[in-house]
């Protein structure tokens, strides 16, 4: 029904009948008018009479109410259906065609036009409002300005006012003679008081009455010199800026204080700010009477050295003595200026510095003094108070801090530039260790701090950096994350994660310890502020999910490379370390349970992403990557007491054809699963690879069930995996069929009979795991019979065997023994690797190891190909 919305059923019946007599829009109004507020039918209305006539109802004296129509609904139902069909067919064919093909476009076009019209109206209103505000401001300025002189007075005061261009060129570019009043007017109105060159030029033009070429040349020369000086226009802008800031400080001191505390860079213009106020501050420092004379002599010595541009050891020693004994700010200023020149030494950047350093010993001593003693002097004049939680408090509204602000910014910029250009490990370590005490003074310079953090993170994530240098870099990052505000702390966390991902691109036996150091140290930062840690963690875990979804929903030939690379693997492992560290009750005693941590909601999405990446390509080539991700989930499950179903993925590895068929013999070296995420093609279907996969699978199965070896439901937990493992053992351990050769595996498969994998080492390791699972299940059942609580008692279930160490269980003792054996095996392999590298280096030096090196690099060349494939995957990701 066309008008069913907003009307009762009786009104619909009435409308349907009346639409035969008039147009529908008019009838909507008529029906409402006929019904009225009393919802009764007025029998005197002409249309009502027509309606009643159509209904074939007699017109009575009393009013007709809608309830009377209820009795007639059944009678006119067929009539209503007929009218409805007539109404539905009234639309023209062109109208229906338009509604079907063009109506939506027309509506969208009208909406778009409405938006444009609305924007134009807003723009017009904004222009009108701005014009009104400008008019009001102009009226206020006119009230405060002095009355302007008339045109005649101006003409007399300025002889060039009424001069035409032709007259000026015919006069030979001569400057007109200025009268006394005119000169005074020009001096006051047109020439700033701080510019002296133009004033002298005008005075010279007056003194030289000869208005010939000499006067014009001297005036032009003075103008060029004045324009070329850096203090002409730049100082004018800087003075204007300082004047505006002073006016702001007087007019709105609270806002000025807020800018000073939160973003002092807005109040400072350049690194080369004027540091003359430091001298005044030094002179204002009070000292005992006996030491004043000594200090005065020392300051005179320092001032005498200021004029010398070449820094010598004697000058550096005087600065050091003044800073150590007297905490001289003047000496510190000179050291900062010299340190800035030292940081930019041998650079052709076009800048001129006050000092120059040519002696390497002077350079070294200057760096040591600037890095060690500048924080010492700053702490004396501006002491930093630190709370028990690590927060720092520094008075930023004092005159001393405002005076030292350019000095602090200059020193911070010099340190940042030095970090970006240093390559010597001891100097880097010294610089990073000396950054820690000056970080509280740089909190107001957020832009400078962000650049400094990027430089420090670059050193921390550089694989070529020494371990001690990396540790010092991380101490700086952590210190800044502790003392900074939330916005800067978030920037520190993001920069750290980006550096971690960048530094983990290439993973080898040499870079793996450094990558683990980065992951373990960076994981600590996310617990400093759990709220910001959750925000950044959610953002980056979501990015990992987006990459995985794109690889699944839009598969291409190389789409998997965006997931199966070292950067993605290390990212998942890093987030598992973060959640394992900060959602664990054993590591964080303040947590009563893992769910109390703000980071706990990130466990579920991380587990889903890791399981999805783990099963993306279930081929034997990527079994090493599966083992890496399984270990990450095991760590997370063990620390947070979260059950993650990992047994199916490990049994899937054992059920693959790679582990069921007999392997082929090979002389390759064992594959290092710690530094591999894919197996080279030469390892597939070989015995050495099958042994390695079997060892990893049995170890991870034991580790997984070892996490739940004390759980009261352990016997029920191991039933399905035990059945599957026994079935797999029976399948791979069956002897070849009678009458067939043991080596004819292909013929056995063809006849429907299999001879197993004939790998006693793998089969025996899985058999041992099954035995330990059965022993642990029986051990749990014996202790479970002695409990006096029902399964519904949650507290009793959680307290089951709480006081028993997991290493005392049969499965736990087996896992502990496996770990010790693995550590011993890795230690022996590491010693052998180092001995082999030493032997190769010796043979290379002696020139006798060329052929041996070529034979021994077969595996390394494979690793290089692997790294190249992974780099291609990184680029596609």
């Amino acid at each position: 029904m066309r008008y069913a919305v907003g009307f009762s059923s009786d009104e619909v019946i009435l409308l349907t009948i009346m639409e035969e007599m008039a147009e529908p829009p008019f009838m909507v109004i008529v029906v409402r008018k006929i019904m009225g507020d009393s919802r009764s039918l007025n029998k005197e209305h002409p249309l009502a009479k027509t309606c009643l006539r159509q209904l074939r109802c007699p017109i009575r004296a009393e009013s007709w109410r809608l309830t009377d129509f209820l009795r007639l609904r059944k009678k006119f139902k067929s009539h209503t259906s007929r009218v409805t069909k007539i109404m539905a067919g009234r639309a023209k064919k062109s109208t229906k065609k338009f509604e079907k093909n063009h109506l939506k476009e027309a509506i969208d076009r009208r909406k778009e036009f409405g938006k444009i019209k609305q924007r134009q109206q807003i723009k017009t209103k904004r222009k009108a409002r701005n014009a009104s505000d400008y008019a009001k401001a102009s009226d206020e300025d006119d009230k405060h300005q002095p009355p302007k002189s008339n045109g005649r007075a101006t003409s007399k005061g300025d002889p060039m006012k009424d001069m035409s261009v032709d007259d000026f060129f015919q006069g030979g570019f001569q400057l007109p003679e200025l009268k006394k009043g005119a000169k005074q007017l020009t001096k006051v109105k047109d020439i700033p008081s701080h510019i002296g060159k133009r004033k002298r030029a005008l005075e010279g033009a007056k003194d030289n009455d000869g208005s010939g070429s000499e006067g014009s040349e001297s005036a032009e020369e003075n103008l060029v010199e004045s324009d070329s000086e850096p203090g002409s226009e730049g100082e004018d802008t800087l003075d204007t800026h300082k004047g505006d800031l002073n006016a702001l400080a007087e007019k709105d001191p609270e806002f000025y204080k807020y800018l000073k505390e939160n973003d002092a860079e807005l109040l400072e213009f350049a690194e080369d700010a004027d540091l003359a106020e430091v001298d005044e501050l030094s002179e204002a420092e009070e000292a005992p009477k006996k030491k004043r004379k000594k200090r005065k002599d020392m300051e005179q010595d320092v001032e005498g050295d200021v004029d010398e541009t070449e820094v010598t050891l004697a000058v550096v020693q005087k600065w050091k003595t003044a800073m150590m004994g007297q905490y001289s700010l003047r000496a510190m200023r000179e050291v900062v200026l010299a340190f800035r020149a030292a940081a930019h030494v041998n650079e052709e950047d076009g800048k001129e510095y006050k000092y120059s350093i040519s002696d390497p010993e002077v350079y070294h001593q200057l760096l040591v003094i600037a890095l060690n003693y500048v924080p010492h002097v700053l702490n004396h004049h501006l002491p930093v108070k630190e709370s028990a939680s690590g927060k720092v408090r520094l008075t930023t509204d004092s005159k001393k801090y405002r005076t030292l602000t350019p000095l602090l910014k200059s020193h911070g910029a010099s340190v940042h530039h030095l970090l970006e250009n240093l390559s010597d490990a001891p100097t880097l370590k010294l610089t990073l260790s000396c950054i820690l005490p000056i970080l509280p003074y740089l909190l107001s310079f957020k832009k400078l701090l962000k650049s400094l953090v990027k430089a420090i993170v670059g050193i921390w994530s550089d694989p070529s950096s020494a371990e001690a240098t990396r540790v010092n870099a991380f101490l700086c990052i952590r210190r800044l994350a502790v003392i900074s505000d939330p916005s800067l702390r978030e920037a520190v966390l993001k920069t750290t994660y980006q550096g971690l991902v960048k530094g983990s691109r290439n993973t080898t036996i040499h870079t793996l310890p450094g990558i683990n150091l980065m992951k373990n140290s960076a994981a600590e930062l996310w617990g400093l502020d759990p709220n910001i840690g959750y925000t950044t963690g959610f953002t980056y875990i979501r990015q990992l999910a987006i990459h995985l979804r794109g690889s699944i929903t839009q598969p291409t030939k190389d789409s998997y490379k965006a997931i199966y690379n070292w950067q993605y693997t290390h990212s998942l492992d890093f987030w598992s370390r973060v959640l394992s560290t900060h959602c664990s009750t054993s590591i964080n005693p303040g947590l009563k349970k893992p769910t109390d941590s703000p980071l706990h909601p990130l466990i579920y999405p991380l587990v889903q992403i890791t399981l999805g990446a783990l099963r993306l390509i279930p081929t034997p080539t990527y079994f090493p990557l599966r083992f890496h991700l399984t270990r990450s989930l095991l760590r997370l499950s063990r620390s947070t007491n979260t059950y993650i179903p990992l047994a199916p993925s490990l049994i899937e590895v054992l059920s693959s054809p790679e582990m069921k068929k007999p392997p082929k013999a090979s002389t390759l070296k064992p594959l290092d699963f710690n530094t591999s995420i894919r197996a080279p093609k030469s390892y597939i279907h070989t015995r050495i690879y099958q042994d390695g996969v079997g060892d990893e699978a049995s170890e991870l199965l034991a580790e997984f069930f070892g996490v739940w070896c004390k759980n009261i439901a352990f016997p029920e937990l191991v039933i399905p995996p035990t059945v599957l493992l026994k079935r797999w053992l029976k399948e791979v351990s069956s002897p070849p069929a009678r009458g067939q050769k043991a080596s004819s595996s292909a013929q056995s498969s063809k006849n429907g009979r299999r001879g197993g994998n004939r790998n006693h080492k793998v089969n025996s390791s899985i058999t041992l795991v099954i035995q330990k699972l059965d022993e642990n299940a029986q051990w749990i059942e014996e202790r479970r019979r002695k409990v006096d609580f029902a399964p519904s008692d949650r507290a009793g279930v959680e307290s089951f065997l709480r006081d028993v160490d997991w290493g005392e269980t049969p499965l736990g003792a087996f896992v502990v023994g496996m770990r010790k054996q693995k550590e011993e095996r890795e230690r022996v392999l590491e010693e052998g690797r180092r001995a082999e590298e030493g032997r190769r280096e010796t043979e290379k030096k002696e020139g006798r190891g060329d052929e041996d090196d070529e034979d021994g690099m077969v595996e390394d060349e494979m690793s290089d190909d692997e790294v190249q494939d992974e780099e291609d995957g990184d680029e596609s990701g």
Side-chain angles (χ1 to χ4, degrees):
M1 192 67 64
R2 187 181 302 179
Y3 295 101
V5 179
F7 295 92
S8 64
S9 57
D10 302 299
E11 291 175 331
V12 170
I13 295 174
L14 184 61
L15 272 173
T16 304
I17 299 172
M18 296 177 69
E19 275 189 322
E20 295 181 349
M21 300 175 290
E23 291 297 325
F26 176 72
M27 293 310 301
V28 173
I29 302 173
V30 168
V31 169
R32 286 300 186 190
K33 189 176 294 185
I34 295 174
M35 299 297 180
D37 296 335
S38 62
R39 305 188 64 81
S40 60
L41 190 63
N42 187 3
K43 65 184 180 65
E44 299 299 332
H45 199 284
L47 291 176
K49 294 181 180 180
T50 307
C51 179
L52 293 174
R53 190 180 302 109
Q54 290 288 336
L55 292 174
R56 297 180 182 179
C57 297
I59 301 177
R60 302 176 183 175
E62 65 271 25
S63 298
W64 270 75
R65 304 190 62 85
L66 286 176
T67 53
D68 298 332
F69 286 99
L70 296 177
R71 299 193 304 268
L72 303 175
R73 179 183 299 175
K74 190 174 181 180
K75 179 179 179 181
F76 295 103
K77 186 175 181 180
S78 59
H79 180 72
T80 303
S81 302
R82 181 179 59 81
V83 174
T84 303
K85 293 179 181 179
I86 295 173
M87 290 168 56
R90 283 181 181 177
K92 295 181 180 180
K93 186 176 180 180
S94 59
T95 304
K96 293 180 180 180
K97 189 174 182 181
F98 177 80
E99 291 178 354
K100 181 179 179 181
N101 299 330
H102 305 290
L103 180 61
K104 186 177 180 181
E105 297 179 1
I107 294 174
D108 294 340
R109 191 162 52 249
R110 289 183 180 181
K111 289 181 179 179
E112 190 67 26
F113 177 75
K115 291 179 181 179
I116 296 174
K117 186 177 180 180
Q118 185 179 9
R119 285 198 296 267
Q120 293 295 333
Q121 291 176 353
I122 294 174
K123 187 176 180 181
T124 305
K125 292 180 180 179
R126 187 184 297 113
K127 287 183 178 180
R129 185 170 59 253
N130 293 339
S132 177
D133 295 341
Y134 179 75
K136 293 180 180 178
S138 301
D139 295 340
E140 293 180 359
D141 293 340
D142 293 340
K143 293 179 181 179
H144 296 289
Q145 286 181 357
K148 296 183 179 180
S149 58
N150 54 17
R152 186 177 300 175
T154 305
S155 177
K156 292 181 179 179
D158 189 0
M160 300 179 64
K161 181 69 177 178
D162 299 330
M163 185 182 295
S164 63
V165 178
D166 296 334
D167 297 338
F168 178 73
F169 279 100
Q170 291 176 3
F173 303 97
Q174 295 180 1
L175 291 177
E177 184 178 354
L178 300 178
K179 297 183 179 180
K180 186 174 182 180
K183 186 186 83 168
Q184 187 69 17
L185 180 63
T186 306
K187 177 182 177 182
V188 173
K189 292 187 63 177
D190 297 337
I191 300 178
S193 59
H194 65 280
I195 299 178
K197 294 280 186 179
R198 295 175 185 252
K199 179 180 177 180
R200 288 193 296 270
L202 294 176
E203 291 177 352
K206 178 191 174 187
D207 294 339
N208 295 330
D209 293 335
S211 56
S213 61
E214 275 189 8
S216 62
E217 288 177 2
S218 62
E220 185 178 356
E221 183 180 355
N222 289 333
L223 287 173
V224 172
E225 288 180 0
S226 178
D227 291 338
S228 63
E229 283 184 354
S232 61
E233 184 177 354
E235 289 180 2
D236 189 13
T237 306
L238 186 59
D239 289 343
T240 305
H241 176 66
K242 290 182 178 180
D244 295 340
L245 292 179
N246 293 333
L248 177 63
E250 295 176 358
K251 185 177 180 180
D252 194 352
E254 294 182 359
F255 181 67
Y256 183 84
K257 182 180 179 181
Y258 173 80
L259 289 179
K260 196 70 175 177
E261 293 177 354
N262 292 273
D263 201 348
E265 288 182 340
L266 294 176
L267 308 179
E268 301 298 332
F269 255 28
E271 177 187 342
D272 304 327
D274 188 12
L275 304 179
E277 295 183 0
V278 180
D279 296 338
E280 300 177 2
L281 192 62
S282 299
E283 295 174 357
E285 290 292 323
E286 296 183 358
K289 294 181 179 179
K290 295 182 180 179
K291 296 183 179 180
R292 285 183 182 177
K293 185 176 180 181
K294 183 178 180 181
R295 173 179 292 187
K296 186 176 181 180
D297 297 339
M298 189 177 300
E299 289 176 352
Q300 289 178 356
D301 295 338
V302 172
E303 287 177 354
D305 298 329
V306 169
D307 297 334
E308 300 177 3
T309 58
E310 181 68 27
V311 181
T312 60
L313 285 175
V315 174
V316 174
Q317 188 62 32
K318 289 180 181 179
W319 289 342
K320 179 181 178 180
T321 305
M323 293 173 65
M324 289 181 60
Q326 307 297 331
Y327 303 103
S328 173
L329 290 175
R330 187 174 300 175
M332 185 182 70
R333 182 196 66 175
E334 303 303 326
V335 169
V336 169
L337 293 175
F339 178 66
R340 183 172 59 187
H344 296 80
V345 70
N346 297 329
E347 292 185 6
E348 298 179 357
D349 52 359
K351 293 184 179 180
E352 294 183 1
Y353 302 99
K354 184 175 182 179
Y355 294 105
S356 61
I357 298 96
S358 57
D359 189 358
E361 182 65 22
V362 174
Y363 178 84
H364 174 71
Q365 292 296 331
L366 181 61
L367 256 62
V368 172
I369 291 174
L371 295 174
N372 287 332
Y373 294 105
V374 168
H376 184 62
V377 177
L378 287 175
N379 190 43
H380 174 76
H381 292 281
L382 295 172
V384 177
K385 298 179 182 180
E386 185 172 357
S387 62
S389 60
K391 299 295 182 180
V392 296
R393 187 172 61 183
L394 179 65
T395 305
T396 58
D397 55 353
S398 62
K399 179 182 178 181
K400 188 177 293 186
Y401 180 83
R402 291 196 298 268
T403 305
L404 292 177
T405 295
L407 195 74
L408 294 173
K409 188 175 181 182
S410 175
H411 186 63
S414 301
V415 172
H416 170 241
H417 187 79
L418 185 66
L419 281 177
E420 290 182 336
N421 295 277
L422 281 179
S423 58
D424 184 41
T427 310
L428 265 177
K429 183 180 177 182
L430 173 64
T431 306
L432 291 171
S433 61
C434 295
I435 288 177
L436 285 173
I438 67 171
L439 286 177
Y441 301 99
L442 302 178
L443 290 178
S444 299
F445 312 107
K446 292 187 177 182
K447 185 177 180 180
L448 175 61
L449 268 183
K450 290 180 181 179
S451 302
L452 188 62
V453 168
K454 288 183 180 179
I456 297 175
V457 169
I459 297 172
W460 172 71
S461 61
D462 189 3
S464 61
S465 300
E467 183 177 354
T469 305
R470 285 186 164 190
V471 171
N472 282 278
F474 173 73
L475 291 177
C476 293
I477 298 172
R478 187 186 184 280
R479 173 68 171 171
L480 185 57
V482 170
I483 66 176
S484 59
D485 59 348
S487 61
L488 188 58
R489 189 179 296 116
E490 183 178 0
V492 171
L493 293 181
K494 290 182 177 180
T495 307
T496 303
Y497 179 75
Q498 293 169 1
L500 171 65
V501 174
K502 182 180 179 181
S504 61
R505 180 171 184 174
N506 295 328
T507 303
T508 62
I509 191 65
H510 304 287
T511 61
L512 185 60
I515 294 174
N516 289 331
L517 174 66
M518 285 195 297
K519 289 191 289 188
N520 291 328
S521 58
E524 181 185 353
L525 299 179
W526 265 258
L528 299 177
D529 192 338
N531 296 325
I532 296 179
Y534 173 81
T535 304
T536 55
F538 178 83
T539 302
Y540 289 118
I541 291 176
R542 181 175 177 271
Q543 288 182 1
L544 297 175
I546 291 173
H547 284 297
L548 179 62
R549 184 184 64 183
S551 179
I552 294 175
T553 57
Q554 300 176 357
T556 59
K557 183 179 180 181
D558 296 331
S559 62
Y560 73 94
K561 292 184 179 181
I563 308 300
Y564 279 15
N565 57 72
W566 272 118
Q567 290 176 311
Y568 198 91
T569 305
H570 283 306
S571 297
L572 291 175
D573 184 69
F574 168 71
W575 290 116
S576 74
R577 292 174 190 252
V578 171
L579 300 180
S580 301
T581 303
H582 303 294
C583 297
S584 174
T585 55
S586 58
I587 299 178
N588 301 301
L591 291 177
K592 295 182 180 180
K593 51 185 179 179
T595 54
D596 293 341
S597 174
L599 299 176
H600 189 269
L602 297 176
I603 293 179
Y604 178 76
L606 179 65
V607 170
Q608 293 298 320
I609 295 169
T610 308
L611 290 176
L614 184 140
R615 291 194 171 103
L616 183 62
I617 302 181
T619 58
T621 304
Y622 290 99
F623 281 168
L625 183 139
R626 176 174 294 211
F627 295 147
H628 278 288
L629 299 182
T630 303
R631 292 184 187 279
S632 301
L633 293 178
L634 267 176
R635 182 193 305 112
L636 185 61
S637 178
R638 185 184 303 111
S639 300
T640 62
N641 198 27
T642 303
Y643 178 76
I644 303 173
L646 297 176
S649 63
L650 296 174
I651 295 177
E652 184 180 350
V653 172
L654 295 175
S655 302
S656 64
E658 179 71 20
M659 303 300 295
K660 288 183 177 181
K661 295 181 180 180
K664 58 183 179 181
S666 176
T667 58
L668 295 172
K669 294 181 180 180
L671 181 65
D672 188 2
F673 286 87
N674 293 329
T675 58
S676 302
I677 58 174
R678 64 181 292 271
K681 293 183 179 180
S682 57
Y683 278 84
I684 306 300
H685 306 308
T686 61
R687 185 176 185 84
I688 192 68
Y689 185 62
Q690 192 179 78
D691 291 344
V693 171
D695 292 340
E696 290 288 323
S698 60
E699 178 192 350
L700 291 174
L701 279 171
E703 289 280 355
F704 168 69
F705 289 110
V707 175
W708 310 102
C709 61
K710 296 195 305 178
N711 194 282
I712 196 171
F714 183 83
E716 290 76 18
L717 176 66
V718 299
I719 289 176
T722 303
V723 172
L724 293 176
L725 289 176
K726 288 181 179 180
R727 187 180 301 170
W728 178 83
L729 274 177
K730 184 178 180 180
E731 186 177 355
V732 300
S733 301
S734 59
R738 182 179 299 179
Q740 289 182 332
K741 294 183 180 180
S743 60
S744 182
S745 60
Q747 187 66 25
S748 301
S749 301
K750 183 177 179 180
N751 296 336
R753 300 178 181 178
R754 298 179 180 178
N757 57 10
R758 295 199 295 274
N759 193 329
H760 178 71
K761 180 180 178 181
V762 175
N763 299 343
S764 61
S765 62
I766 299 298
T767 303
L768 185 58
V769 171
I770 295 175
Q771 293 176 358
K772 295 301 177 181
L773 292 179
D774 293 338
E775 290 180 11
N776 199 82
Q778 296 176 3
W779 187 80
I780 292 293
E781 287 178 352
E782 291 177 0
R783 283 150 182 80
R784 194 168 63 177
R785 294 190 190 100
K786 302 177 183 179
V787 300
D788 55 354
F789 54 85
S792 59
D793 188 357
R794 189 67 181 176
V797 170
E798 292 179 354
S799 62
F800 180 73
L801 296 180
R802 178 177 293 176
D803 299 333
V804 179
D805 187 16
W806 75 279
E808 299 178 4
T809 63
L811 183 59
F814 174 68
V815 172
V816 172
M818 288 184 64
R819 290 179 181 179
K820 291 182 179 179
Q821 292 178 3
K822 183 179 180 180
E823 290 176 0
E824 182 66 20
R825 185 167 58 250
E826 289 179 350
R827 185 185 62 82
V828 173
L829 291 175
E830 181 67 18
E831 291 178 357
R833 183 184 64 81
R834 291 181 179 178
E836 182 69 17
E837 288 181 355
R839 183 184 64 82
R840 289 181 180 179
E841 291 294 333
T842 304
E843 291 179 353
K844 284 182 180 180
K845 291 180 180 179
E846 295 176 356
R848 299 197 304 263
D850 296 337
E851 297 180 359
D852 295 339
D853 290 340
E854 292 177 359
D855 296 336
M857 287 297 290
V858 174
E859 183 185 2
D860 294 340
E861 291 176 359
M862 296 176 184
S863 300
D864 293 338
D865 295 338
E866 175 186 347
V867 169
Q868 183 64 33
D869 292 341
E870 292 162 6
E871 289 180 356
D872 297 338
D874 296 343
E875 293 174 359
S876 64

